[in-house]
Amino acid sequence: MKSESDSELNRKPDSEPNREPDRERTAPLLWLMGAIIVALTWALVFYARDEWNLAQDREEEEIETPSRLVEEDGRAALKIPLAAQKTSGIVTAPLAAATWRAEIKLYGSVIDLAPLIELRARYLAAQADAVIARSALNVSEKEYRRIAALYADDRNASQRALQAALGTWRADQARQAAAKTAIDGALTALRTQWGDVLAEWATTPDSRSFAALLKRDDAIVQIAIPFDVALPEQGAAIMVAPLAASDGERPAQFISPSPNVDSTVLGRTFFYRTDARDLRYGARVVARPDAGDDSEQGVLVPFPAVVWHGGKSWVYVQAEAERFERREVDAQRELDQGWFSPRLKTGDAIVISGAQLLLSEELKYQIRNENED
């Protein structure tokens, strides 16, 4: 027994020195873990700083004075005290009246009048031939009747002379018929290719309208009008300008439908007469029809007043001094300084600065009420 206890006592001094190396190895690990914890703590503080600043900014942007979402007459509204409106930068302005006219651009070209002038010359030549043929026919008819009377009066004229006079008369009849056919053909070509109105101008002696075309005081433009646009009426006017020079706009008066199509533009074609200044044959033109009674009355909603939510566009109308209602507007027809809307009334006060803030405030209270429920 003594020997075993003695051996244990003898081993204790040997084990004590072995613990010192363990402590030496553990100490650096503890220091390293402490350093990592400190570094993570500072990293958390550093990165959370930006979130904290953003949260502070959001709190500053929100309306400091508590606002409440109320419901009156079945309409939800926000009640914002005047002091809170001033602090939050909420600005209102009355709506101004506006008129909406559908802006339609039409396209066409300046018509070369050479074919029209050529057909007119053909028509006039056929008319001249008809006059000559009619005169010759009158002479040959009288000559034939004279010789026929002599031949009947005891053969005072030969049968050969009678037959020659008859042949001349019939030839003149044929020439007159041919001249009439030429006149009808030229007139038909004029009406088929240029319409009744221009055909009448071309065939009327001393026509002032056609004379203006010949002197290049006026020009004919062919305008293509889409099928979904109302047809022009006799005497209706549009504004036309060279395609590359819109500042050269001038009025053009309706003449008639055009029998020809425009290969570059779809739609029905019509002839218009306009000032020939700076217009060359074949030049492309752009036209703007008069909207007439198609205009619509409404209001101009400034761009900053419109907020978007749920796929729709809204504005906040100041129903009372401290009461704001969100109403839907039609933000599809754009004007120079805002949207055209027929839903609101002229003079209604709407929020033109701070509308997004009101929307956030309204949604915040809606979420709060839903959570309370």
Side-chain angles (χ1 to χ4, degrees):
M1 297 293 290
K2 288 183 179 180
S3 61
E4 292 178 359
S5 60
D6 292 341
S7 62
E8 291 177 357
L9 291 173
N10 292 333
R11 285 196 297 268
K12 285 181 180 179
D14 295 337
S15 61
E16 288 297 332
N18 294 335
R19 294 180 182 176
E20 293 298 330
D22 292 339
R23 292 194 186 98
E24 292 177 358
R25 287 194 299 269
T26 306
L29 292 175
L30 293 175
W31 280 103
L32 179 61
M33 292 175 62
I36 292 175
I37 293 173
V38 172
L40 290 175
T41 303
W42 278 105
L44 179 62
V45 172
F46 178 79
Y47 287 108
R49 180 186 59 183
D50 294 337
E51 295 296 330
W52 174 262
N53 291 335
L54 289 175
Q56 291 295 107
D57 293 340
R58 293 193 193 100
E59 290 181 1
E60 292 177 359
E61 291 178 358
E62 291 180 354
I63 300 176
E64 297 179 0
T65 304
S67 59
R68 294 182 298 113
L69 184 65
V70 297
E71 185 172 343
E72 298 179 5
D73 299 330
R75 289 184 176 181
L78 282 171
K79 296 199 72 173
I80 310 296
L82 295 177
Q85 295 179 32
K86 184 176 181 180
T87 303
S88 304
I90 296 176
V91 180
T92 62
L95 289 172
T99 301
W100 171 261
R101 290 184 177 88
E103 190 70 19
I104 302 175
K105 286 187 177 181
L106 308 175
Y107 296 93
S109 59
V110 182
I111 299 300
D112 185 359
L113 298 180
L116 176 62
I117 296 173
E118 183 180 351
L119 282 177
R120 178 176 182 267
R122 201 174 99 190
Y123 172 82
L124 295 178
Q127 273 198 326
D129 291 342
V131 171
I132 295 173
R134 186 165 52 251
S135 298
L137 179 62
N138 291 334
V139 173
S140 61
E141 182 181 4
K142 290 179 181 179
E143 181 64 14
Y144 168 74
R145 295 189 184 282
R146 185 184 70 81
I147 294 176
L150 291 175
Y151 181 79
D153 186 17
D154 198 18
R155 303 294 191 274
N156 289 326
S158 65
Q159 186 176 8
R160 183 177 180 179
L162 178 62
Q163 291 176 347
L166 179 60
T168 302
W169 181 34
R170 288 178 176 174
D172 289 341
Q173 286 178 331
R175 277 192 286 270
Q176 185 185 35
K180 186 177 183 304
T181 301
I183 292 174
D184 293 341
L187 185 58
T188 300
L190 282 168
R191 289 173 175 170
T192 302
Q193 299 179 30
W194 297 92
D196 292 340
V197 176
L198 286 176
E200 183 180 357
W201 290 3
T203 56
T204 300
D206 302 327
S207 171
R208 293 184 178 180
S209 298
F210 199 82
L213 296 176
L214 293 177
K215 293 188 295 183
R216 287 287 296 158
D217 292 335
D218 291 343
I220 300 296
V221 294
Q222 179 177 271
I223 302 297
I225 298 181
F227 294 101
D228 57 349
V229 177
L231 294 177
E233 298 179 356
Q234 186 67 37
I238 61 174
M239 302 300 293
V240 299
L243 187 60
S246 58
D247 55 344
E249 195 175 58
R250 78 283 312 267
Q253 286 73 38
F254 174 79
I255 297 177
S256 68
S258 170
N260 308 308
V261 298
D262 191 328
S263 59
T264 61
V265 182
L266 293 177
R268 296 159 293 189
T269 51
F270 298 86
F271 286 135
Y272 285 84
R273 177 178 63 181
T274 188
D275 184 2
R277 170 176 45 91
D278 299 330
L279 294 180
R280 303 293 183 265
Y281 292 147
R284 302 297 296 176
V285 296
V286 60
R288 177 174 55 86
D290 185 5
D293 296 334
D294 293 337
S295 60
E296 185 178 358
Q297 301 300 319
V299 295
L300 175 65
V301 180
F303 291 123
V306 178
V307 292
W308 300 85
H309 174 64
K312 297 180 180 180
S313 51
W314 308 84
V315 295
Y316 278 92
V317 178
Q318 189 178 28
E320 297 175 1
E322 297 183 351
R323 185 166 173 265
F324 297 89
E325 296 179 358
R326 177 160 56 95
R327 297 183 188 175
E328 185 179 353
V329 294
D330 181 12
Q332 295 183 354
R333 291 179 280 184
E334 185 176 351
L335 299 174
D336 291 339
Q337 299 178 352
W339 302 101
F340 173 82
S341 176
R343 297 191 178 189
L344 302 176
K345 297 179 180 179
T346 303
D348 284 349
I350 66 168
V351 177
I352 60 173
S353 177
Q356 189 64 48
L357 182 61
L358 290 180
L359 178 62
S360 301
E361 189 75 4
E362 180 181 349
L363 296 179
K364 180 180 71 175
Y365 276 92
Q366 286 181 352
I367 295 173
R368 180 182 299 178
N369 293 338
E370 291 175 358
N371 292 336
E372 291 176 356
D373 294 340

